[in-house]
Amino acid sequence: MSSFEKKNGVLHAEGVSLRDIAAKTGTPTYVYSSAHIKGQLQALQGAMSAALPADRQPLLCYACKANSNLAVLSLLRGQGSGLEIVSEGELARGLRAGFDPAKIVSTGVGKQRSEIAACLNAGIAQLNVESLPELLHIQEIAAEIGKTARVVFRLNPNVSGGGHDKISTGQKHHKFGLNEAQVFEGFKMAQSMSHVEAMGLSIHIGSQVFTVDSFETAFGKLPGIVKDLRAQGHDISRLDIGGGFPIQYKDEKLLDLDAYARWVRDIILPLETQIIMEPGRYLVGNAGVLLTEVLYAKETPDRNFLIVDAAMNDLMRPALYGSYHAIEPVQNHDAPEKIYDVAGPVCESSDIFAKDRTLPEMKTGDLAVIRSAGAYGFSMASNYNTRALPAEVLVEGERWAIIRKRQSLEEILGADIAPEWV
Ligand code: LLP
């Protein structure tokens, strides 16, 4: 069910007209539906509680790289979610949003010393280790500040998974995780470390994983590895089985969550560990649209361009991955159709949201939405072309709030420093 539906011919986010939001906030603006976010979390929780015993429910740690607005984080925290972070900045966001550090896990191949220290000082649940030099750093820093670091080792299972080459992470040529031999080596090293407690393993194979088969293949060796590690005397009490749950951008056939939950029951549950998951896109992707205004309908002998005021700096996915995002007008859905290339104002040919897209005819001043923009939209936005970061709005029923102000030009320019000698 979409939380973005037409009412009286005008597209609404839940009970709020997108026209009203645009009138008050301007465009481009990201608009998120809290009902959708809650519904997605409940769907995942529901599938898990149907398949797994009540005392063995997984800890769902929202991968906030997908959308790290503090309001979104608070909303998810309020629904019982934990958090997956990849930087000190995301840790700060999580703590500011009130997450219990015991529900925060830290991943990433390049954890800096200050990040490791911040995680340890905050007392987060675990650091997911991605290299052996990182393990040495963690021991050193934990000893320095007098804390014990709980770690799991990220296994790179060397299988393909994830919808797009750039978002798949589990093959041996990827920079992520440790191979099997290194995982064993890591456990051995940790055994002799005074300030590290090795607790288990993590695997994240990539994003937009559509079939249980892909998980099955990726996790195939896991039970054997857990058994062997235990045989060597290591305590394996946690398995972090990552994220990657897909959403529909166009007409993709989605992962059967119940079948996935049954797979967790059959394969992961018998390993007798705490289970952690890291869903990102699934919780927020289709909860958001990017609301934009048509600047010009520009016709050339070859093509009809709709130049809109959102651009690749606001939503990078189409330019970066060639991703499909549905586009829809906010009003006048019944206008005669036309074939458009929908483009932003940035000075690059790749600043195109859609090519050859059939849409109702639009003109200057009309509003449109770019759908499925709640995940990896704002969080990947930049100031390219000195364009201000867009505003963000959260809707709940009939009420709505600006959850991030549009950036001002002064905020951008004010950060630059011209030395007197230039
Ligand atoms: N856990 C780890 C260790 C990850 O690296 C990621 C995503 C997730 C969890 C969450 O994955 P999800 O459930 O959202 O698929 N910018 C790309 C996606 C990059 C994903 C990076 N890692 C995009 O726009 O498609």
Side-chain angles (χ1 to χ4, degrees):
M1 231 288 289
S2 171
S3 298
F4 299 88
E5 304 267 342
K6 282 182 287 228
K7 286 179 193 149
N8 303 323
V10 179
L11 196 62
H12 280 55
E14 301 190 29
V16 181
S17 154
L18 289 173
R19 209 173 46 182
D20 290 352
I21 292 178
K24 296 202 177 90
T25 63
T27 50
T29 292
Y30 278 97
V31 182
Y32 310 123
S33 152
S34 37
H36 191 96
I37 298 175
K38 287 183 194 167
Q40 292 295 101
L41 183 63
Q42 279 158 14
L44 198 51
Q45 287 166 336
M48 294 305 151
S49 56
L52 307 177
D55 60 345
R56 298 291 312 280
Q57 289 302 304
L59 173 62
L60 300 179
C61 290
Y62 167 56
C64 71
K65 59 180 81 70
N67 183 328
S68 54
N69 185 286
L70 286 174
V72 171
L73 297 191
S74 297
L75 178 79
L76 283 164
R77 194 250 310 130
Q79 301 295 302
S81 175
L83 197 68
E84 183 255 9
I85 57 154
V86 291
S87 69
E88 199 174 342
E90 288 189 353
L91 173 67
R93 283 181 177 276
L95 296 176
R96 179 78 62 89
F99 279 88
D100 175 358
K103 287 186 170 181
I104 300 180
V105 302
S106 163
T107 73
V109 288
K111 298 183 191 74
Q112 297 174 27
R113 283 174 180 275
S114 62
E115 289 172 357
I116 295 171
C119 287
L120 294 176
N121 279 323
I124 68 163
Q126 74 194 32
L127 292 148
N128 295 11
V129 173
E130 303 222 18
S131 70
L132 298 180
E134 179 193 332
L135 181 64
L136 296 175
H137 264 185
I138 293 175
Q139 155 66 16
E140 211 175 285
I141 295 161
E144 235 166 70
I145 59 179
K147 306 260 182 195
T148 297
R150 287 173 294 271
V151 305
V152 303
F153 293 98
R154 177 168 176 180
L155 174 70
N156 180 326
N158 190 22
V159 292
S160 58
H164 184 282
D165 195 36
K166 287 187 182 154
I167 56 177
S168 126
T169 60
Q171 288 169 268
K172 67 175 182 205
H173 63 269
H174 291 134
K175 66 179 175 178
F176 300 102
L178 300 157
N179 65 30
E180 210 178 312
Q182 290 168 328
V183 165
F184 280 85
E185 176 68 18
F187 269 96
K188 211 163 129 209
M189 284 166 65
Q191 236 170 4
S192 59
M193 289 179 164
S194 55
H195 288 74
V196 170
E197 186 185 353
M199 307 193 69
L201 296 164
S202 73
I203 297 187
H204 171 77
I205 52 170
S207 281
Q208 290 291 83
V209 183
F210 290 109
T211 63
V212 177
D213 277 4
S214 310
F215 286 101
E216 239 163 52
T217 319
F219 286 75
K221 285 192 176 163
L222 190 69
I225 295 176
V226 170
K227 192 165 154 261
D228 291 348
L229 284 167
R230 284 181 172 152
Q232 292 181 8
H234 302 294
D235 189 19
I236 309 297
S237 58
R238 285 186 191 169
L239 290 176
D240 178 342
I241 55 178
F245 309 102
I247 63 163
Q248 197 168 45
Y249 285 94
K250 195 178 183 184
D251 50 12
E252 303 89 335
K253 192 168 176 301
L254 290 178
L255 176 72
D256 176 347
L257 273 189
D258 294 319
Y260 172 77
R262 287 193 296 275
W263 169 79
V264 173
R265 179 194 63 199
D266 296 342
I267 304 299
I268 307 296
L269 193 71
L271 300 174
E272 293 291 338
T273 66
Q274 183 191 358
I275 303 169
I276 298 171
M277 294 176 186
E278 302 173 353
R281 182 188 328 259
Y282 178 79
L283 298 182
V284 292
N286 272 328
V289 297
L290 178 55
L291 181 58
T292 184
E293 185 178 304
V294 175
L295 297 174
Y296 305 105
K298 170 174 172 171
E299 313 215 333
T300 72
D302 289 325
R303 317 203 66 87
N304 302 314
F305 290 100
L306 267 186
I307 313 285
V308 297
D309 65 359
M312 64 188 283
N313 72 296
D314 304 304
L315 176 65
M316 208 179 181
R317 302 191 75 258
L320 191 60
Y321 312 120
S323 318
Y324 178 94
H325 285 257
I327 298 179
E328 197 182 323
V330 168
Q331 281 177 278
N332 302 328
H333 295 85
D334 300 330
E337 290 184 333
K338 216 165 168 169
I339 298 175
Y340 288 112
D341 285 359
V342 181
V346 158
C347 307
E348 292 211 27
S349 297
S350 56
D351 185 22
I352 294 271
F353 290 116
K355 260 191 177 336
D356 292 323
R357 193 70 64 85
T358 304
L359 292 168
E361 194 165 358
M362 282 188 258
K363 57 179 188 323
T364 300
D366 285 350
L367 294 168
V369 295
I370 305 174
R371 281 188 175 260
S372 309
Y376 307 110
F378 186 91
S379 63
M380 291 175 71
S382 78
N383 285 131
Y384 189 37
N385 279 203
T386 307
R387 287 170 50 87
L389 293 175
E392 292 175 288
V393 159
L394 185 66
V395 175
E396 186 182 73
E398 309 282 314
R399 63 181 170 178
W400 64 279
I402 294 176
I403 57 170
R404 186 180 169 103
K405 285 189 294 191
R406 186 176 309 287
Q407 195 178 29
S408 71
L409 286 183
E410 202 35 55
E411 283 171 281
I412 306 178
L413 302 188
D416 289 8
I417 302 163
E420 92 243 338
W421 41 263
V422 292

